């Protein structure tokens, strides 16, 4: 979208209140308020960029809570909450949140990103904001109603696609290091660039990211991952030295070693290429994107050079899957089914493509279907995106094999229905029939029956499975 013709001296008030019904009602009350009130920050930015937003920030020169109460009383069925300590109040209507704050200035101490806050002017309130594009305000009442207050040329930076701090970048980032991640997040969401001085301010302060709570870091990281240009975000995280502090395992993927003239690929750039490939196929699955980021995470730890084979990364799938819970725990990501999904995809990511032609047997395919279950489609998506070889001939060969496996998986699934399959004999039946108490032997017999069916030794049938169970028990001396 072109912002060439967006005019800050023009009045966009009508457009603004037409843009959002709740704003129309809010502005009715503000109209007759006796102190200046402004719309500020992200909402103004996104209004100009025509991006949808659900949070609206309103700054008041005076008692923000009092105004918020008056607005809330005028809106029926909205929820109203006050945060006295922060001097803020929030109104929620449907999925829209409107926050009212008194204009404030801030001062920081060295050890915390939580400032000491005191009442201030609009200018002081704009000074404390992180980027010029986030410091824009629009007056909502009085003679200046509808006019822009843009002391740092934020509209110009929006037009030119530039992220820049209003004040000295080194101080801005030192005061609140989370802003460094926000800079990169906006860059990857909007496809903007960071100005040179602002970039330098980040590199100087990268280490200070360590004073920020992990939850906030992870929140920004997830926003970068879900943005339109996540690989741009990761390249900037790396260039500014932030990556090594917030995601050292990912930083370790960077670099190429050469022995006897043989190189391996740079797994940092490879992973970002896979991420770009997957964006074309799936747009909104955060956990699939995490699986991409982590699919080769154990390559540095498993890297070996062998004089006959060259560079190898044997077992990086297995080791990578084991690293997933540790990384999730440190990142304070949920340790739930989403984590197990990521773990499964990392573990299986080589399987579809590693089957050579004569290994693409029904039994291998059944095993893959069984292990991937409902996540097969996502696994195949990851696997196909993972084919990034620069060597065209090699790439074609892999893609061809991928297609063969894909087609055969479909045939086997249609015939044998393995994806959501449960073996026909439960652990309880094994224990009851063979008079066993819970323990290793029950597990072994259960596994034996499952393998016999997946390998095609017996049919997927209760009678055959029962006979097989008895045979297995005899051979183990249980019967
Ligand atoms: P988004 O809503 O997409 O996360 P945003 O810029 O609107 O982006 P919010 O957290 O909603 O972010 O904050 C609203 C506004 O508050 C920002 O636009 C900015 O002016 C200011 N702000 C938020 N966080 C900071 C910060 N860490 N330092 C300085 N100003 C900030
Ligand atoms: Mg916002």
């Amino acid at each position: 979208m072109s912002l060439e013709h967006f005019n800050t001296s023009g009045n966009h008030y009508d457009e603004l209140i037409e843009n959002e019904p709740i704003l129309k009602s809010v502005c009715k009350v503000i109209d007759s308020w006796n102190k200046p009130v402004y719309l500020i920050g992200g909402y103004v930015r996104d209004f100009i960029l025509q991006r949808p937003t659900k949070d609206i920030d309103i700054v008041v020169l005076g008692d923000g809570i009092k105004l918020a109460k008056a607005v809330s009383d005028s809106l029926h069925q909205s929820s109203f909450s006050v945060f006295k300590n922060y001097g803020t109040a929030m109104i929620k209507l449907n999925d829209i949140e409107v926050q009212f704050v008194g204009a404030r200035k801030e001062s920081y101490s060295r050890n915390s990103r939580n400032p000491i806050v005191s009442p201030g002017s609009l200018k002081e309130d704009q000074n404390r904001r992180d980027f010029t594009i986030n410091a824009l305000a629009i007056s909502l009442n009085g003679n200046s109603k509808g006019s822009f207050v843009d002391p740092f040329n934020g509209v110009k930076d929006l037009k030119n696609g530039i992220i820049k701090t209003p004040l000295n970048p080194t101080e801005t980032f030192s005061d609140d290091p989370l802003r460094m991640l926000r800079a990169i997040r906006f860059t990857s969401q909007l496809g903007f660039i960071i100005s040179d001085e602002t970039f330098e301010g980040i590199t100087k302060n990268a280490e200070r990211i360590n004073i920020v709570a992990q939850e906030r870091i992870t929140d920004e990281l997830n926003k970068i991952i879900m943005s339109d240009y996540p690989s741009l975000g990761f390249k900037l995280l790396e260039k500014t030295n932030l990556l090594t502090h917030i995601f050292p395992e990912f930083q370790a993927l960077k670099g190429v070693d050469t022995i006897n003239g043989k190189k391996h690929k740079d797994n940092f750039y490879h992973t970002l290429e896979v991420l770009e490939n997957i964006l074309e196929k799936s747009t909104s699955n955060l956990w699939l994107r995490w699986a991409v980021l982590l699919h080769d995470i154990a390559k540095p730890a498993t890297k070996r050079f062998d004089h006959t084979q060259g560079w190898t990364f044997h077992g990086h799938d297995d080791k990578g899957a084991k690293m997933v819970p540790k990384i999730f725990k440190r990142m304070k990501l949920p340790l739930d089914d989403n984590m197990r999904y990521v773990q499964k995809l990392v573990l299986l990511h080589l399987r579809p493509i590693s089957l050579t032609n004569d290994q693409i047997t029904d039994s291998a395919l059944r095993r893959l279907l069984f292990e991937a279950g409902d996540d097969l489609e996502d696994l195949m998506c990851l696997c196909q995106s993972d084919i990034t070889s620069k060597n065209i001939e090699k790439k074609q060969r892999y893609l061809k094999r991928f297609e063969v496996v894909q087609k055969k998986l479909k045939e086997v699934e249609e015939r044998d229905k393995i994806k959501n399959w449960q073996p026909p004999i439960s652990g309880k039946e094994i224990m009851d029939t063979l008079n066993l108490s819970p323990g290793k032997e029950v597990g072994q017999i259960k596994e034996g029956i499952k393998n016999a069916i997946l390998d095609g030794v017996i049919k997927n049938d209760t009678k055959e499975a029962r006979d097989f169970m008895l045979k297995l028990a005899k051979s183990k001396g249980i019967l």
Side-chain angles (χ1 to χ4, degrees):
M1 171 206 40
S2 163
L3 295 176
E4 281 302 305
H5 305 292
F6 195 89
N7 178 0
T8 27
S9 50
N11 198 310
H12 298 269
Y13 187 78
D14 293 340
E15 219 178 299
L16 192 71
I17 58 173
E18 285 310 316
N19 193 42
E20 175 52 65
I22 185 170
L23 205 51
K24 198 171 193 169
S25 323
V26 169
C27 283
K28 259 190 207 146
V29 179
I30 291 176
D31 235 359
S32 55
W33 201 249
N34 59 0
K35 290 272 175 61
V37 180
Y38 301 87
L39 192 62
I40 198 158
Y43 190 85
V44 181
R45 176 198 69 220
D46 291 339
F47 165 68
I48 298 174
L49 291 175
Q50 295 174 10
R51 294 173 83 227
T53 339
K54 301 223 174 295
D55 59 327
I56 303 178
D57 287 319
I58 289 180
V59 63
V60 185
L61 290 180
D63 192 341
I65 296 177
K66 208 166 142 199
L67 171 60
K69 179 81 178 73
V71 171
S72 170
D73 288 345
S74 79
L75 297 168
H76 305 288
Q77 295 171 335
S78 68
S79 84
F80 180 62
S81 26
V82 173
F83 309 95
K84 269 229 166 70
N85 291 348
Y86 298 99
T88 65
M90 185 156 74
I91 295 174
K92 259 193 189 172
L93 192 65
N94 306 324
D95 55 346
I96 306 279
E97 287 180 1
V98 192
Q99 186 122 3
F100 291 81
V101 195
R104 53 169 73 172
K105 59 177 179 228
E106 293 180 342
S107 59
Y108 286 83
S109 75
R110 179 85 195 142
N111 302 323
S112 160
R113 55 175 294 263
N114 300 320
I116 300 159
V117 178
S118 51
S121 63
L122 173 67
K123 180 77 200 313
E124 281 166 329
D125 195 286
Q126 287 176 301
N127 281 346
R128 73 178 179 86
R129 298 197 174 250
D130 49 3
F131 306 111
T132 59
I133 62 164
N134 286 347
L136 285 159
I138 301 178
S139 165
L140 294 180
N141 60 0
N143 293 339
S144 60
K145 184 165 121 180
S147 64
F148 273 79
V149 188
D150 181 13
F152 309 111
N153 286 322
V155 177
K156 186 169 146 248
D157 290 340
L158 271 183
K159 284 183 181 170
N160 294 330
I162 289 175
I163 305 287
K164 198 163 110 188
T165 58
L167 305 179
N168 177 306
T170 306
E171 251 166 63
T172 305
F173 294 127
S174 172
D175 282 348
D176 177 1
L178 183 70
R179 293 167 179 162
M180 302 189 281
L181 288 182
R182 284 174 52 91
I184 294 177
R185 188 253 287 191
F186 289 119
T187 309
S188 14
Q189 283 179 330
L190 306 174
F192 280 19
I193 57 167
I194 300 179
S195 81
D196 289 348
E197 304 87 75
T198 296
F199 187 90
E200 202 180 309
I202 300 180
T203 48
K204 274 195 198 149
N205 283 288
E207 200 214 323
R208 278 185 65 71
I209 197 66
N210 294 317
I211 69 161
V212 178
Q214 185 60 50
E215 289 82 350
R216 303 305 301 270
I217 295 178
T218 299
D219 211 31
E220 291 299 329
L221 198 57
N222 279 340
K223 285 183 181 167
I224 294 172
I225 294 171
M226 284 308 283
S227 71
D228 284 351
Y229 307 97
S231 67
L232 172 68
F234 276 95
K235 283 176 197 163
L236 285 171
L237 286 174
E238 201 280 323
K239 277 204 185 115
T240 52
N241 300 329
L242 281 165
L243 194 63
T244 189
H245 296 289
I246 66 170
F247 198 173
E249 298 87 347
F250 201 67
Q251 175 72 52
L253 291 173
K254 188 156 185 283
V256 178
D257 280 339
T258 310
I259 295 185
N260 294 347
K262 286 189 181 166
K263 290 188 200 175
H264 61 77
K265 66 180 152 199
D266 185 312
N267 290 301
F268 174 79
Y269 292 109
H270 161 70
T271 300
L272 297 184
E273 213 180 320
V274 183
L275 192 56
E276 277 169 21
N277 289 345
I278 216 141
L279 292 193
E280 289 166 17
K281 304 187 175 74
S282 138
T283 50
S284 59
N285 184 347
L286 172 67
W287 306 111
L288 179 55
R289 292 188 188 192
W290 266 106
V292 170
L293 291 173
L294 296 177
H295 81 285
D296 278 346
I297 205 70
K299 275 198 171 171
T302 54
K303 181 162 88 176
R304 302 277 177 275
F305 185 82
D306 178 295
H307 285 277
T308 48
Q309 287 182 292
W311 292 102
T312 64
F313 304 91
H314 289 312
H316 76 271
D317 43 353
D318 195 42
K319 192 167 173 68
K322 293 202 175 87
M323 287 168 75
V324 171
K326 289 184 198 147
I327 294 173
F328 266 53
K329 190 156 182 242
R330 196 191 67 237
M331 297 267 192
K332 295 208 157 58
L333 285 162
L335 305 174
D336 58 7
D337 283 348
N338 292 320
M339 183 203 75
R340 285 184 281 280
Y341 161 91
V342 172
Q343 214 176 3
K344 186 204 270 188
L345 261 54
V346 173
L347 180 68
L348 298 178
H349 81 273
L350 293 174
R351 284 276 286 281
I353 208 78
S354 67
L355 298 171
T356 54
N357 287 339
D358 54 342
Q359 283 173 329
I360 308 177
T361 59
D362 283 3
S363 124
L365 296 169
R366 274 196 293 264
R367 249 167 217 291
L368 186 55
L369 284 165
F370 178 71
E371 284 173 47
D374 280 339
D375 302 318
L376 183 79
E377 216 175 294
D378 290 356
L379 174 67
M380 295 307 275
C381 190
L382 166 61
C383 190
Q384 193 178 21
S385 305
D386 196 15
I387 304 173
T388 65
S389 179
K390 298 262 178 302
N391 177 333
I392 302 282
E393 196 226 322
K394 202 165 158 190
K395 191 167 174 175
Q396 289 306 335
R397 202 168 64 233
Y398 280 136
L399 281 171
K400 181 107 199 70
R401 193 190 296 164
F402 175 84
E403 271 162 29
V404 172
V405 172
Q406 176 100 309
K407 185 166 156 271
K408 292 205 171 176
L409 277 169
K410 203 161 165 248
E411 285 165 13
V412 172
E413 175 58 20
E414 267 164 19
R415 195 185 63 214
D416 298 348
K417 302 270 176 293
I418 295 291
K419 259 205 239 167
N420 289 310
W421 172 73
Q422 285 298 322
I425 296 192
S426 68
K428 181 165 185 316
E429 184 175 345
I430 297 172
M431 288 192 284
D432 290 349
T433 317
L434 302 176
N435 205 10
L436 288 173
S437 28
K440 214 165 83 189
E441 280 172 326
V442 183
Q444 283 170 349
I445 292 187
K446 207 173 160 195
E447 188 70 11
I449 298 169
K450 182 193 91 186
N451 288 339
I453 297 173
L454 290 175
D455 290 341
V457 176
I458 58 169
K459 281 216 196 82
N460 181 16
D461 164 289
T462 315
K463 167 142 194 343
E464 286 206 23
R466 279 191 186 132
D467 292 346
F468 189 79
M469 166 179 69
L470 297 175
K471 221 164 85 187
L472 211 56
K474 270 189 198 133
S475 74
K476 286 183 180 294
I478 297 170
L479 274 183

